[in-house]
Amino acid sequence: MPAFPYSTSPATPAVAIPPSLALPVIEAAFPRQLHPYWPRLQEMTRGWLLEKRLMSADKVAEYADGLCYTDLMAGYYLGAPEEVLQAIADFSAWFFVWDDRHDRDIVHGRPASWRHLKGRLHAALDAPGLFLYHRDPLVAGFADSVLRLYSFLGRRWNARFARHFHEVIEAYDREFRNRTNGTVPKVDEYLELRRLTFAHWIWTDLLEPSAGCELPAMVRKHPAFRRAALLSQEFAAWYNDLCSLPKEIAGDEVHNLGISLIRHDGLTLEEAVTEIRGRVEGAVMEFLSTEQEVRRFAESLDDGSARGKQISTAVSSCLGNMRNWFSSVYWFHHESGRYMVDNWDDRSTPPYVNNEAAGEK
C-alpha cells in the first residue's frame, strides 16, 4: 500500500519526482486529500474488476493496487456519498481497461474487434440494462457501471452524460484511425481531440452526483464555472502528456501534445517538453485566478431560498473538487505503475494488460 500525505497541509512527497516533472505550486498550494472511504474503495474496485472479468486474477493481484486507479478518484470526488464514489471509481477503472484494449487492438491490428466494441458501447450507453450479461466483459462492465451512474440524478443528467460519452467513443475511433494510418494530428486538432479522449466533460459531469445535485444549465454554462472546469481538465490532460511522452514514443503513439509539437511545429524533444510544461503551469495559475470568480458566483447564488442555498453549496463543492483534481492527477502520475515505463520488460507493452480481444484473435 503506498504512503500518502493525508493531511490538508503541504506534506513531504511520498515519491521522488524528476525535476522536469516537479510542480512546486501543486505541492504547496494544492494540499492533497483522500476520501475517507478510500481503503474500502480500493478493496471493492479490486473485487469488481475480478467479478466483471476485466482483469485476470493474477494481474489484479500483482498490479491493481499499484496502478492506483482508486487513489485517483478518491483524491478527486471528496464529499461524494460512498455509493457514488464507488460507482465512479469502478467506471474509472473500466475506462483505463478500455483504453488498454483500444491500444492493444491497434498494436495487434484488430480493426474488426474495435468496430464491434465501438458499436456495442454506443448501444450499451443508451440501454445499459440490455448489456449487463454481454459475453464481452468490457461491454458488460461498462453497462454495469453506467447503469449505476444513471441511478443518482435523473433523466436530464443521464442524457447529458450519454451525449458526452457518445462523443468520447467517436473520438477514440478517430484515434484508432489516426494511429492505424500513422497520422499525427496538428496541434489545434490534437487539443480538440484530447478534450474528448480525456473525457473532460465526463469527469466534470460526475462532479454533480458527487455533490448530490444536478446543476441548472445557467450555472454549468457560467463562463467562470465552465472555465475553471476546463482548466482543471486541461491541466490533467497536458500533465498526462508530459509524463507519458516516453511511454507513448516507445509505443509508436501519435496522440500526445509533445509529439504534435515535434512533428508539426518543428520543436526538438526538449523544446516540446518546455512548451507542455509552460501550458501546464499556465493552467494552474489561471485556475487560481478563475477560482476566485467562481467562489463569488457561488455566493451570489444563495438568495435566501432553500433552492438557492442548495445550488450555491453544490457549486462550492464542485469547485473544491476541481481544485482536488490538480493534486490527485499530479501524485497519481508519480505513484501509478501505469507510467513506470522504465520498469517494464518491454517499454511498448504494459505488463498489466491482456493481449486477447473478445471476438477476434
Side-chain angles (χ1 to χ4, degrees):
M1 182 179 296
F4 291 105
Y6 282 96
S7 69
T8 56
S9 58
T12 303
V15 293
I17 300 176
S20 62
L21 301 177
L23 296 174
V25 65
I26 296 295
E27 297 177 29
F30 292 80
R32 189 185 193 188
Q33 304 175 72
L34 284 173
H35 197 291
Y37 181 62
W38 170 72
R40 180 67 171 159
L41 182 73
Q42 184 181 52
E43 176 187 345
M44 294 295 287
T45 296
R46 192 190 312 124
W48 186 79
L49 287 167
L50 281 171
E51 176 191 346
K52 299 302 176 184
R53 298 178 293 118
L54 289 166
M55 291 179 70
S56 61
D58 61 325
K59 292 192 182 296
V60 168
E62 187 170 358
Y63 297 109
D65 288 355
L67 289 169
C68 300
Y69 296 158
T70 54
D71 313 42
L72 181 64
M73 295 297 109
Y76 185 10
Y77 297 102
L78 269 71
E82 292 179 1
E83 65 173 344
V84 173
L85 184 60
Q86 187 66 65
I88 292 173
D90 291 349
F91 171 73
S92 172
W94 173 89
F95 201 112
F96 281 112
V97 175
W98 177 50
D99 186 74
D100 292 333
R101 168 82 74 83
H102 177 261
D103 175 70
R104 294 297 95 186
D105 278 350
I106 294 168
V107 169
H108 294 286
R110 301 188 293 230
S113 174
W114 168 249
R115 286 195 304 271
H116 293 154
L117 177 60
K118 184 186 80 161
R120 289 161 186 156
L121 294 180
H122 275 306
L125 188 56
D126 291 331
L130 301 179
F131 292 86
L132 289 173
Y133 304 102
H134 194 277
R135 65 185 180 87
D136 184 342
L138 205 61
V139 176
F142 179 64
D144 177 82
S145 59
V146 167
L147 194 63
R148 289 155 64 199
L149 292 174
Y150 283 176
S151 70
F152 299 125
L153 290 183
R155 291 182 178 180
R156 287 180 305 182
W157 185 92
N158 295 353
R160 175 167 26 112
F161 181 92
R163 182 174 69 252
H164 287 161
F165 205 80
H166 280 305
E167 293 174 346
V168 171
I169 296 169
E170 286 304 308
Y172 263 72
D173 190 53
R174 287 164 57 193
E175 277 209 356
F176 193 99
R177 295 195 303 271
N178 283 346
R179 286 185 62 188
T180 300
N181 299 329
T183 301
V184 178
K186 294 181 179 179
V187 173
D188 287 346
E189 179 188 353
Y190 170 75
L191 294 176
E192 179 185 353
L193 182 62
R194 185 62 161 147
R195 289 180 183 131
L196 296 173
T197 57
F198 202 82
H200 281 22
W201 302 117
I202 290 296
W203 307 119
T204 301
D205 288 338
L206 290 168
L207 292 169
E208 294 170 66
S210 297
C213 179
E214 179 184 352
L215 296 177
M218 60 80 66
V219 172
R220 290 185 286 104
K221 295 179 180 180
H222 185 276
F225 183 88
R226 190 169 177 84
R227 185 63 184 160
L230 181 61
L231 286 166
S232 72
Q233 294 297 326
E234 297 280 53
F235 164 82
W238 296 340
Y239 193 68
N240 176 269
D241 279 3
L242 188 65
C243 294
S244 62
L245 188 55
K247 167 189 171 185
E248 294 183 340
I249 289 176
D252 292 325
E253 249 286 7
V254 297
H255 297 99
N256 184 293
L257 180 54
I259 293 171
S260 290
L261 289 164
I262 292 167
R263 174 67 64 87
H264 295 292
D265 288 12
L267 273 61
T268 65
L269 175 60
E270 292 76 14
E271 290 169 339
V273 167
T274 299
E275 171 66 19
I276 301 172
R277 185 180 173 91
R279 287 175 181 258
V280 166
E281 292 172 336
V284 176
M285 301 313 294
E286 189 177 349
F287 177 85
L288 289 172
S289 174
T290 306
E291 181 182 34
Q292 302 306 314
E293 295 182 56
V294 181
R295 189 168 289 121
R296 290 192 292 271
F297 173 56
E299 292 171 356
S300 74
L301 293 168
D302 187 355
D303 58 4
S305 68
R307 178 62 172 166
K309 177 67 173 177
Q310 179 191 34
I311 297 298
S312 174
T313 300
V315 169
S316 295
S317 171
C318 291
L319 177 64
N321 283 337
M322 291 175 198
R323 162 176 269 276
N324 290 334
W325 194 221
F326 287 85
S327 59
S328 193
V329 164
Y330 181 72
W331 291 108
F332 170 71
H333 280 85
H334 301 294
E335 293 172 343
S336 172
R338 193 172 180 86
Y339 303 99
M340 296 180 182
V341 183
D342 291 338
N343 296 332
W344 300 355
D345 292 336
D346 177 354
R347 288 170 61 89
S348 66
T349 304
Y352 46 82
V353 302
N354 293 323
N355 287 327
E356 295 77 14
E360 183 179 358
K361 302 298 181 187

